[in-house]
Amino acid sequence: MQIEVVTEVSEGLEKNWNDFVIHHPNGNFFQSPAYYNFYKSLPSYEPVLLISQDDSKNINGSLVAVIQKEKGYLKGKLSSRCIIYGGPICDNDELAGLLIDELNTYLKGKAIYTEFRNLFDLSGSEAVFGKNGFEYKEHFNFVVKIGSGEESFKKLNENRRRQIKKSLKNSVEIVSAKEVSEVKEFYLILNKLYKEKVKKPLPDFSFFEHFFLMPDLGKYFLVKYEGKIIGE
């Protein structure tokens, strides 16, 4: 078995890796090549890919982590952290432990803390994470079935439904962003909200711009009134 930190993803490896994630029962977007490539394009972020292969060079485990930090040398050193969503992707705890151990080795001196944010049940793997210095904390998820647009609308309270109907009647539009300038308008609204109310850091505009420039990742749906973006 071979585990390595991959710094250059070849076309062949990307295809094999993508196939592995797609067909794995715990596979998810946050452990995919698309997610990795998105962060690879951003400043202040360093995606880390670990791949495990068996003796026949078949992928049997993978882990994508992202090192992120604030701008500036000192601020960057003090804020550097590593976040992993929905990983590792593998078939057993032994392999998960090896991937996590290799990640810990790579991160020495690069991040002040590491956090796994799980998208599937890992409560049975507490020993593996504990052995590698992690503390398991339960969290509660709300799973909301969206259904059709009509079903979702009916689930809103009466006052909110009335507000939406009134807005649409007054020529408010819901549009898919077509220009970077529209994304910029939305970002300015969001940035103001985070500064005045949320009081938490927000990624700089390049994060939102690169997402827009990589349309396979998703779309921005914006609320427009009289030619101006007023929300998302």
Side-chain angles (χ1 to χ4, degrees), residues 37-47 204 206-208 210-211:
N37 290 333
F38 171 62
Y39 276 98
K40 194 79 172 174
S41 71
L42 297 173
S44 300
Y45 293 89
E46 179 192 344
D204 62 30
S206 64
F207 182 95
F208 297 83
H210 279 253
F211 183 89

Side-chain angles (χ1 to χ4, degrees), residues 94-178:
E94 180 184 2
L95 184 50
L98 292 173
L99 286 165
I100 296 168
D101 180 64
E102 187 68 26
L103 177 66
N104 281 341
T105 300
Y106 179 82
L107 291 175
K108 286 180 180 177
K110 292 179 176 286
I112 58 175
Y113 73 85
T114 304
E115 182 176 320
F116 283 82
R117 299 178 182 177
N118 299 324
L119 302 179
F120 47 88
D121 185 15
L122 280 175
S123 58
S125 303
E126 292 179 43
V128 172
F129 283 89
K131 183 179 178 181
N132 284 279
F134 290 91
E135 179 185 357
Y136 182 82
K137 291 186 177 181
E138 292 185 348
H139 67 275
F140 186 66
N141 285 330
F142 285 96
V143 179
V144 180
K145 292 184 178 181
I146 297 176
S148 67
E150 184 178 348
E151 290 172 332
S152 299
F153 189 72
K154 286 180 179 179
K155 292 177 182 178
L156 299 174
N157 64 51
E158 185 178 350
N159 187 50
R160 182 56 55 87
R161 293 200 301 270
R162 184 167 58 251
Q163 289 175 342
I164 293 173
K165 287 179 179 179
K166 184 178 179 180
S167 297
L168 293 174
K169 189 175 181 180
N170 289 331
S171 301
V172 170
E173 301 177 275
I174 299 174
V175 299
S176 174
K178 297 292 192 297

Side-chain angles (χ1 to χ4, degrees), residues 170-173 175 181-182 185-186 222-231:
N170 289 331
S171 301
V172 170
E173 301 177 275
V175 299
S181 58
E182 294 177 321
E185 283 188 67
F186 154 69
L222 307 173
V223 182
K224 182 181 282 191
Y225 179 64
E226 294 183 348
K228 292 183 178 182
I229 304 299
I230 61 172

